Amino acid sequence: MACPLLRMRALQACRQIRSFSGTTRRNAADVKSLGVIGAGQMGLGIALVAAQKAQVPVTIIDTSDKALSNGLAFADKLLAKDVAKSRITQDQADQARALLKPSMKMEDLSSVDFVIEAVPEIPKLKYDIFGHLAKICPKHAILATNTSSISITKIAAATTSDPTDTSASSRVVSTHFMNPVPVQKGVEIISGLQTSKETLDTAVEFCKRLGKITSVSADTPGFLANRILMPYINEAVICLETGVGDRDSIDAIMRNGTNVPMGPLQLADFIGLDTCLSIMKVLYQETGDSKYRPSVLLGKMVDAGWLGKKSGKGFYDY
């Protein structure tokens, strides 16, 4: 009788250990530090919101010292604006700013609890980053991507060469923030095929700590937001190129007819026409559905370097 009893007690102990070891992943309150890869507008926005709302130290990684300097200058500008409008006090601004730590070394993420990658939509770049993160981050760390179109399952698969080893891939998830991050409340949470429920739950709860409203999407091309938004923008561009309406009429009817804050062409400029084109290409290639064919005009404008607000010229001049 002793052996079955010992086995039963051992099984109970193992269950308790598994339950305890999973608490970091299940409980977003246990996320004490964050890493953000990419010091651009999205990455810096995520880092700043985390410092302000969750009040956790944030390590911002970028390969460019100039990008890091520009990103922190942008954070200073946003904080100063909030102080000037009495949204926060100067002490609160100083506390948030002190939590932002720039670095050019990925190895500085070796002790963080949660990482969010926010680099350009280049699949190989993201795959390489996640392969490296799987090696250097703690075994409990959530590995999140801000991708707007690339398969989470493919990104998760890049963490190992052995598909049976899910120790890292089960911790990969997407936290797709809306732009601009400090203003927009929405965050899209996407699980890959390998993503564990613990990882998904932690990602949802951590984003709520950042004051965001979460929506959960399946891992399909474009997910929820871009599956709906990008064809809308693309169709507006097609209407322009085929002469259905001019720029101002297209944007005016959507602003005044559907009560959106900006029309589709102006919105495309703010998102970046290169980003819009990239997402449409992914939708078209992944689904094979002709309704996602990118507008010819959109491709030409990207070829011309007219990328929207960030280049000074798009459908509008800036």
Side-chain angles (χ1 to χ4, degrees):
M1 293 297 292
C3 288
L5 180 60
L6 287 174
R7 283 199 298 270
M8 182 175 70
R9 287 178 176 174
L11 181 60
Q12 289 173 339
C14 287
R15 286 172 177 168
Q16 288 174 347
I17 291 170
R18 284 199 297 269
S19 175
F20 178 76
S21 65
T23 56
T24 300
R25 295 194 295 272
R26 284 200 300 265
N27 188 354
D30 289 332
V31 176
K32 305 296 185 183
S33 58
L34 176 69
V36 173
I37 303 175
Q41 185 174 349
M42 288 299 297
L44 204 286
I46 294 167
L48 184 57
V49 167
Q52 287 186 282
K53 299 294 185 179
Q55 298 179 345
V56 295
V58 184
T59 302
I60 308 169
I61 304 294
D62 202 289
T63 56
S64 166
D65 186 57
K66 183 179 179 181
L68 287 168
S69 298
N70 290 342
L72 292 174
F74 180 56
D76 291 336
K77 181 179 178 181
L78 292 178
L79 289 169
K81 184 178 180 180
D82 282 347
V83 172
K85 293 191 174 184
S86 299
R87 293 171 181 160
I88 60 175
T89 66
Q90 186 60 54
D91 283 346
Q92 289 172 324
D94 292 341
Q95 289 170 11
R97 180 62 176 81
L99 290 171
L100 303 179
K101 305 295 183 182
S103 173
M104 295 178 67
K105 298 178 181 178
M106 286 274 282
E107 285 68 25
D108 286 343
L109 301 178
S110 61
S111 62
V112 298
D113 299 317
F114 204 115
V115 180
I116 301 175
E117 164 272 311
V119 303
E121 292 288 275
I122 303 171
K124 186 179 185 306
L125 175 60
K126 292 183 186 283
Y127 301 156
D128 289 346
I129 287 172
F130 275 80
H132 195 42
L133 290 176
K135 296 175 182 176
I136 65 172
C137 290
K139 299 302 181 184
H140 69 271
I142 301 296
L143 309 178
T145 173
N146 188 57
T147 184
S148 57
S149 60
I150 299 171
S151 166
I152 312 308
T153 298
K154 289 182 179 179
I155 292 175
T159 60
T160 178
S161 58
D162 179 3
T164 64
D165 179 10
T166 60
S167 58
S169 61
S170 67
R171 294 182 280 114
V172 175
V173 69
S174 175
T175 52
H176 178 212
F177 290 79
M178 302 296 109
N179 190 28
V181 180
V183 176
Q184 299 288 8
K185 292 290 187 181
V187 177
E188 200 172 31
I189 312 292
I190 305 104
S191 291
L193 189 62
Q194 311 93 319
T195 307
S196 71
K197 185 177 184 301
E198 293 170 330
T199 296
L200 175 63
D201 290 346
T202 301
V204 169
E205 291 306 314
F206 183 66
C207 287
K208 288 179 180 179
R209 277 182 66 190
L210 304 186
K212 301 303 182 182
I213 298 171
T214 61
S215 297
V216 177
S217 169
D219 184 18
T220 60
F223 315 133
L224 278 175
N226 285 321
R227 188 71 171 260
I228 298 167
L229 176 63
M230 287 303 157
Y232 158 70
I233 288 175
N234 192 58
E235 191 62 32
V237 182
I238 292 173
C239 285
L240 179 65
E241 75 179 359
T242 57
V244 176
D246 60 26
R247 178 197 70 185
D248 293 343
S249 293
I250 291 169
D251 276 359
I253 192 59
M254 297 313 295
R255 283 197 312 270
N256 301 311
T258 63
N259 202 33
V260 292
M262 62 177 68
L265 300 178
Q266 184 184 15
L267 178 59
D269 275 356
F270 274 74
I271 293 171
L273 302 191
D274 53 338
T275 300
C276 293
L277 178 62
S278 174
I279 295 171
M280 285 305 301
K281 284 181 176 179
V282 169
L283 287 171
Y284 187 37
Q285 291 166 1
E286 292 291 326
T287 65
D289 193 327
S290 61
K291 72 180 180 181
Y292 297 119
R293 179 186 63 81
S295 160
V296 173
L297 176 58
L298 182 61
K300 286 182 177 179
M301 292 184 73
V302 171
D303 288 342
W306 298 351
L307 308 182
K309 189 173 185 296
K310 63 185 174 184
S311 69
K313 183 175 179 63
F315 294 107
Y316 295 81
D317 294 329
Y318 299 90

